[in-house]
Amino acid sequence: MRLAATALVFALLASSARAQDEPEIALARQAHELSRELMSPYCPGRTLADCPSPDAGAVRDEIRESLRGGESVDAIRTRIESRFGAQVIGVPTTTLGWMIPIVALAAGALVLVLALRRAVSRGAPLPRVSNDVAARLEQELRDIDR
């Protein structure tokens, strides 16, 4: 009886700990998503999430603490963009920003398809052969047909 009561207490404590961890996990996920949307001012070409710089780590910690304090994602993004400038904007903010890469990719694919189609339609040039070789080839082909 005592063993069952102890097991029940541990099970309740474990489920309570998991319930407390869920908001922290959601907060960490939200902070990571924001870090992946912002470019690092310390590592050119990398997002804040990917930058190994201690300074980028401090910005990631700042994002996490701001979220924990109840600040909205948009307010955090605006604050970081105003502090570091437009170079930290990692994702397009307008429809045109999303459309330009898509149109460029489609245009490149179209050019590739047209170039391949043209190359295939031309066919490979036939090698030049002497008259003797051509006559012999003709004779062998006729012999096969018989």
Side-chain angles (χ1 to χ4, degrees):
M1 180 72 168
R2 204 174 241 179
L3 182 61
T6 304
L8 180 62
V9 168
F10 279 126
L12 288 174
L13 288 174
S15 67
S16 173
R18 270 183 292 197
Q20 291 172 351
D21 285 345
E22 286 178 17
E24 187 64 28
I25 291 170
L27 184 130
R29 183 174 291 128
Q30 195 175 21
H32 183 71
E33 287 174 13
L34 181 57
S35 296
R36 289 187 49 84
E37 293 174 6
L38 296 172
M39 300 305 291
S40 173
Y42 308 105
C43 298
R46 288 186 158 187
T47 64
L48 273 173
D50 297 331
C51 180
S53 166
D55 294 326
V59 175
R60 289 190 300 266
D61 291 342
E62 175 187 337
I63 290 171
R64 198 172 307 109
E65 290 304 315
S66 296
L67 287 170
R68 191 173 284 124
E71 194 172 350
S72 74
V73 171
D74 290 333
I76 296 168
R77 180 183 291 115
T78 302
R79 186 179 73 239
I80 290 174
E81 287 174 8
S82 68
R83 186 166 71 196
F84 294 110
Q87 77 261 16
V88 297
I89 300 172
V91 294
T93 56
T94 64
T95 304
L96 182 62
W98 284 103
M99 293 305 295
I100 288 173
I102 293 169
V103 169
L105 184 63
L110 179 65
V111 167
L112 180 64
V113 165
L114 292 175
L116 289 173
R117 180 180 279 174
R118 186 173 181 192
V120 168
S121 69
R122 283 186 184 172
L126 296 174
R128 300 212 180 237
V129 295
S130 69
N131 290 337
D132 293 338
V133 172
R136 191 168 134 200
L137 181 60
E138 290 286 331
Q139 182 61 41
E140 288 181 9
L141 288 173
R142 276 187 296 236
D143 290 343
I144 291 174
D145 286 339
R146 289 185 195 164

